[in-house]
Amino acid sequence: MTTFSDRVESVSISGIREVFEAASEDAINLGLGQPDFPTPEHARQAAVDAIQAGDADGYTSNYGIESLREAIVDKHARDNDLELRSEQVIATAGGSEAVHLALEAHVDAGEEVLVPDPGFVSYDALTRLAGGTPVPLALREDLTLDPATVEAAITENTAAFVVNSPANPTGAVQSAADMREFARIADEHDVLLISDEVYEQIVSQGEHRSPMEFAETDNVVVVNAASKTYSMTGWRLGWVAASERRIERMLRVHQYVQACASAPAQYAAEAALSGPQDRVDEMVAAFENRRNVLLDGLEDMGLDVPTPKGAFYAMPAVPDGWVDAVIDRDVVVVPGDAFGDHGEGYARISYAAVMEEIRTALDAMRAATRAME
């Protein structure tokens, strides 16, 4: 009798989606994990030009077009002081496929993957779909991941651990010292470190550092994407960077599940990466202004909220029933436990929304908070 695989039965529809479906059509949506800015015009035009020239009609290399991979190499040299070659890059269908490739290529059935909790929902689900066992790791009070927690959780069954900085859902940014320690742990324990750096350019305090800078072995795989930095979530263009031997194994998965990333999106991402970056700076400055207004409002309500230093999320500690009370007032926020058991008692609030909506949403949150007293 035909049934469903244990792997797919072990995952469920994201709790974020459940919140969206519960909200009214007119609600202010502070649950979305995407910038509210347009894709840069020069990136859009590059896709149009490629389509009109017929360059985007067929399959590209499984790796992706050479010029895009060279632009990614240049980006890592410019921003991360990393010396890569185009053979160390695969263009993927967004950052999520890049995480999928890393897990499928490195995790055997029953092996453990250490994931931050609360953390991006895909880490747990994609680990299960790869046949692995996710092991949630609680965060520090400032919502960063402690390298000591990672090291203490490693067993003989550990295949990999995931670091996400700047982080979704917390907005936390790991320090350079933490990243150095994560690289040491990967080297000394011979486990894979999957570094999700999709939000790397959206930093308002501190700085982003990649653990690949500090690694002495090839045990670090970097996941990144055009999605957040260039407001290109719908284009579905990401990449994975690693040693050639690891890329070759990930390519074996990619060629069968995807063949290649969307050709028009590849040309757009190349232009975004290699073109002017002023739109990125403008977007990050706008996010910082919105963050400050949101934090002031939340703190005025008496809510405890660790200061987010990157991405575009705040994650305050909230009383029981607060999320439902806010949603009842037509503002969408996401309960923290949608991102893991340790997220219970928190809410994720995205400030990727115009200032007017944020101020209106704060009024609703104040009313919800008063109603809880």
Side-chain angles (χ1 to χ4, degrees):
M1 181 172 131
T2 302
T3 59
F4 299 105
S5 71
D6 291 339
R7 296 185 308 282
V8 78
E9 290 294 277
S10 71
V11 301
S12 58
I13 299 298
S14 166
I16 302 172
R17 180 57 52 192
E18 294 178 0
V19 172
F20 290 172
E21 292 176 352
S24 72
E25 293 182 2
D26 297 327
I28 295 174
N29 195 337
L30 300 187
L32 283 176
Q34 66 177 2
D36 61 315
F37 295 87
T39 299
E41 182 57 36
H42 63 279
R44 290 178 173 179
Q45 190 59 49
V48 171
D49 292 344
I51 291 168
Q52 292 180 337
D55 294 336
D57 290 349
Y59 294 119
T60 73
S61 161
N62 293 138
Y63 287 96
I65 59 175
E66 178 68 21
S67 55
L68 168 60
R69 290 184 288 129
E70 289 292 348
I72 292 170
V73 166
D74 291 344
K75 168 258 170 298
H76 282 295
R78 177 182 72 227
D79 298 337
N80 311 110
D81 197 26
L82 294 174
E83 295 184 7
L84 301 174
R85 296 177 301 281
S86 62
E87 293 80 11
Q88 293 178 258
V89 173
I90 301 172
T92 62
S96 290
E97 194 216 348
V99 174
H100 175 64
L101 298 184
L103 291 169
E104 287 285 354
H106 294 94
V107 178
D108 275 326
E111 288 189 322
E112 297 173 345
V113 177
L114 312 181
V115 299
D117 181 356
F120 182 42
V121 294
S122 289
Y123 305 145
D124 182 290
L126 291 175
T127 295
R128 295 177 189 276
L129 291 175
T133 301
V135 177
L137 302 181
L139 307 178
R140 295 167 170 145
E141 287 189 7
D142 66 356
L143 301 182
T144 58
L145 179 61
D146 191 337
T149 300
V150 174
E151 193 159 28
I154 291 175
T155 71
E156 61 180 11
N157 292 323
T158 305
F161 65 98
V162 179
V163 173
N164 176 209
S165 178
N168 176 10
T170 64
V173 175
Q174 300 286 157
S175 68
D178 282 348
M179 291 303 207
R180 188 184 296 276
E181 273 295 281
F182 290 135
R184 178 194 64 77
I185 291 167
D187 289 339
E188 291 187 4
H189 292 271
D190 195 24
V191 296
L192 187 72
L193 163 52
I194 301 172
S195 180
D196 182 346
E197 303 179 19
V198 167
Y199 292 89
E200 71 161 313
Q201 299 295 338
I202 307 176
V203 176
S204 52
Q205 289 179 244
E207 62 174 341
H208 168 75
R209 299 292 294 274
S210 173
M212 189 177 276
E213 297 177 48
F214 308 113
E216 297 181 0
T217 69
D218 74 342
N219 284 350
V220 177
V221 169
V222 169
V223 168
N224 212 320
S227 303
K228 313 298 181 176
T229 300
Y230 301 105
S231 195
M232 294 177 65
T233 54
W235 294 80
R236 308 311 303 135
L237 196 291
W239 66 87
V240 60
S243 66
E244 288 187 47
R245 72 182 185 117
R246 296 195 186 279
I247 286 293
E248 194 276 334
R249 269 61 171 198
M250 287 185 277
L251 190 71
R252 298 182 194 183
V253 182
H254 176 67
Q255 69 178 342
Y256 292 115
V257 301
Q258 190 65 28
C260 64
S262 162
Q266 291 190 54
Y267 287 100
E270 177 193 348
L273 286 163
S274 59
Q277 303 296 301
D278 54 308
R279 292 294 301 278
V280 177
D281 296 336
E282 293 170 8
M283 184 171 68
V284 172
F287 283 143
E288 184 171 358
N289 289 335
R290 297 172 186 181
R291 180 200 70 157
N292 293 340
V293 169
L294 179 64
L295 290 182
D296 286 346
L298 294 173
E299 290 169 356
D300 285 345
M301 295 174 214
L303 297 179
D304 180 21
V305 51
T307 300
K309 297 181 179 180
F312 37 74
Y313 309 107
M315 204 166 191
V318 297
D320 288 345
W322 188 87
V323 169
D324 289 337
V326 171
I327 292 174
D328 287 344
R329 289 165 173 80
D330 287 336
V331 175
V332 176
V333 297
V334 182
D337 58 10
F339 303 96
D341 290 343
H342 293 291
E344 186 174 359
Y346 291 87
R348 189 190 78 169
I349 304 171
S350 168
Y351 44 90
V354 297
M355 191 70 81
E356 180 182 356
E357 289 188 334
I358 291 174
R359 294 186 188 280
T360 301
L362 282 169
D363 290 339
M365 292 177 199
R366 288 189 191 94
T369 303
R370 287 194 297 267
M372 305 297 297
E373 295 175 352

